[in-house]
């Protein structure tokens, strides 16, 4: 995908003009929505706190900073805590990245839909019960949403965030979960993410409770610029040979690594997120791409390292962006510790940390800008050790394994690009396996004369299948098929239309749920 064109299309003004019968111009669309179910809410006493009402205009480097305190009438313990995000925007604007931190812990990452002239409203919620250890007292509350408003890009983002606390009862008890949250942000009063170029790591010193019996890392990772489209990037030498083609280099394989005191501790395979202006904006109006609005973190069990971390000293946690990237990746996250109240210190030994470098196999056939690039990776890593708790000596391990296959083809002098990708694998630790399957198929044709005369047509199939076996068994299957395009003739918008469908199915509190949406011309049918 050519980043230059994608950026231009993401912010084109939608203007009603006479058009030929063959093409439709959609200038207004339904409010953004997704098939993913809302967070279930227990029927217990609850209290809602408005944590933020704020307008993000020229807001780069100007995050919202406030506080969040538990409501006196719902002091806890809580069976569930739910965060609600409601956004409003009107006019013309890019899709923007946003993050939210409570007490320095990254609780939420998202990006915004692109508005239309008449305005949009969107909403989603997030179960943040895992952060209950931080929520029992007043904490800094920070939201970062960098935006630019001027005569061209007129869309403000009016955002409201509320937090609802549901009191625990005998029937709806507080869940068993980690009792200490260790933010990886350097300052609880500022956004905790870092924008990292190739070779630069996210580094943080943390002190783990001496009686930690289980430790997990939760990681957020997103690419920007050319790295938004990493799944379609070509080898760097090919991009360099044809600079006028606007190709992005770096190849198609990406992974994010976690290190403990400089030692590799695990790797995750990121999801191929497409922003709401990506590929062609009408593909995502009104159904937003998977993970664009409700971004999920990645988890690595660090329990094999507990024996080296519980000495009461500060230790270094590093998040390493993908190697060979051409633009920034935004990384951040938290640690979650489950402590053993019956011992002063949990001791242990790290026996194995086998996290080799990825072996990326790439082959290219064809000539010049009519080529097919195939990339294959078979990835595996494992760490293991023993820990000694009040329950005796326990064997602990953490591992990941997946296959990555990507075939990207350029044709017609790179005016057509097709990408077929699949990433399938699992992470596992003691008592739990988390499987994943990420299919992606993108077919784009771009006919460009100049900024005032062009046409783009695209089809995208994307999916995210997740399942957990063992502790907290569940599954979800989210699939989107969308097609549409954009075009201008002599500077006038002459084509803007799309159709899409999404099906989400899975378990919600142990019960099966399914929802299907279908849209035409920007509206659900």
């Amino acid at each position: 995908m050519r980043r230059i064109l994608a950026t231009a299309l993401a912010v084109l003004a939608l203007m009603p003009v006479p058009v030929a019968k063959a093409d439709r111009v959609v200038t207004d669309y339904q409010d953004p929505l997704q098939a993913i179910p809302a967070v279930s809410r227990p029927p217990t006493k609850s209290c809602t706190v408005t944590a933020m009402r704020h307008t993000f205009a020229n807001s780069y480097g100007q995050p919202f900073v406030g506080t969040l305190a538990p409501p006196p009438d719902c002091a806890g313990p809580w069976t569930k805590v739910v965060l609600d995000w409601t956004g409003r925007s009107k006019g013309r604007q890019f899709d923007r990245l946003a993050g939210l931190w409570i007490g320095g812990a990254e609780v939420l990452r998202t990006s915004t839909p692109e508005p239309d002239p008449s305005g949009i409203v969107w909403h989603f919620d997030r179960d943040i019960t895992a952060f209950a250890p931080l929520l029992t007292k007043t904490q800094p509350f920070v939201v970062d949403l960098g935006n630019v408003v001027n005569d061209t890009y007129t869309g403000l983002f009016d955002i409201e965030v509320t937090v609802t606390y549901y009191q625990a009862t005998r029937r709806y008890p507080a869940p068993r979960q980690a009792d200490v949250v260790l933010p990886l942000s350097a300052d609880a009063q500022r956004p905790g993410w870092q924008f990292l170029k190739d070779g630069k790591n996210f580094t943080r010193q943390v002190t783990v409770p001496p009686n930690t019996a289980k430790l997990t890392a939760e990681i957020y990772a997103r690419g920007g610029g050319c790295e938004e489209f990493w799944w379609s990037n070509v080898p760097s030498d090919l991009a360099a040979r044809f600079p006028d083609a606007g190709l992005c280099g770096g190849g198609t394989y990406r992974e994010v690594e976690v290190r403990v005191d400089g030692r590799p501790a695990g790797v995750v395979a990121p999801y191929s997120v497409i922003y709401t202006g990506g590929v062609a904006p009408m593909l995502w109006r009104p159904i937003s791409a998977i993970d664009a609005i409700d971004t999920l973190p990645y988890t690595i069990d660090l329990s094999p390292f507990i024996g080296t971390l519980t000495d009461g000293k500060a230790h270094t946690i590093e998040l390493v962006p993908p190697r060979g990237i051409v633009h920034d990746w935004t990384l951040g996250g938290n640690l979650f510790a489950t402590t053993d109240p019956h011992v002063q210190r949990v001791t242990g030994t790290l026996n194995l940390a086998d996290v080799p470098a990825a072996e990326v196999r790439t082959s290219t056939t064809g000539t010049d800008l009519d080529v097919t690039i195939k990339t294959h990776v078979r990835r595996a890593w494992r760490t293991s050790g023993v820990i000694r708790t009040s329950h005796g000596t326990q064997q602990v391990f953490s591992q990941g394994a997946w296959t990555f296959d990507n075939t990207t083809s350029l044709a017609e002098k790179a005016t057509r690009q097709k990408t077929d990708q699949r990433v399938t694998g699992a992470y596992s630790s003691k008592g739990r396996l988390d499987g994943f399957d990420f299919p992606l198929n993108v077919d784009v044709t771009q006919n460009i004369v100049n900024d005032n005369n062009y046409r783009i047509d695209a089809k995208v199939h994307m999916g995210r299948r997740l399942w957990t076996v063992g502790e907290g068994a569940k599954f979800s299957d989210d699939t989107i098929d969308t097609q549409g395009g954009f075009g201008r003739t002599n500077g006038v918008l002459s084509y803007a239309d799309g159709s899409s469908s999404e099906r989400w199915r899975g378990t919600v509190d142990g019960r099966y749920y399914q929802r299907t949406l279908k849209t035409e011309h920007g509206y659900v049918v």
Side-chain angles (χ1 to χ4, degrees), residues 414-435:
T415 61
R416 184 176 184 187
Q417 182 167 358
K418 185 177 181 181
T419 295
D420 296 304
Q421 178 176 289
R422 189 136 201 180
V423 190
T424 305
Y427 309 103
S428 57
S429 57
K430 183 179 179 181
R432 181 180 177 119
L433 180 145
D434 293 293

Side-chain angles (χ1 to χ4, degrees), residues 288-301:
S288 301
I290 297 169
D291 213 60
I293 305 298
D294 188 17
T295 297
L296 297 184
Y298 311 97
T299 300
I300 291 180
D301 194 326

Side-chain angles (χ1 to χ4, degrees), residues 28-104:
D28 182 79
Y29 63 97
Q30 185 171 333
D31 287 341
L33 77 166
Q34 293 182 292
I36 187 170
V39 175
S40 63
R41 318 253 176 159
T44 67
K45 178 184 176 181
S46 65
C47 303
T48 299
V49 173
T50 298
M52 182 189 77
R53 285 194 185 99
H54 187 70
T55 298
F56 292 90
N58 290 299
S59 53
Y60 274 98
Q62 299 183 41
F64 171 87
V65 180
T67 58
L68 177 68
D73 291 342
C74 296
W78 307 296
T79 183
K80 186 171 285 189
V81 183
V82 181
L83 182 148
D84 285 272
W85 173 292
T86 302
R88 293 174 173 82
S89 188
K90 179 180 180 179
R92 177 181 177 187
Q93 194 52 264
F94 280 110
D95 43 31
R96 303 293 188 179
L97 185 65
L100 185 155
W101 294 262
I102 299 174

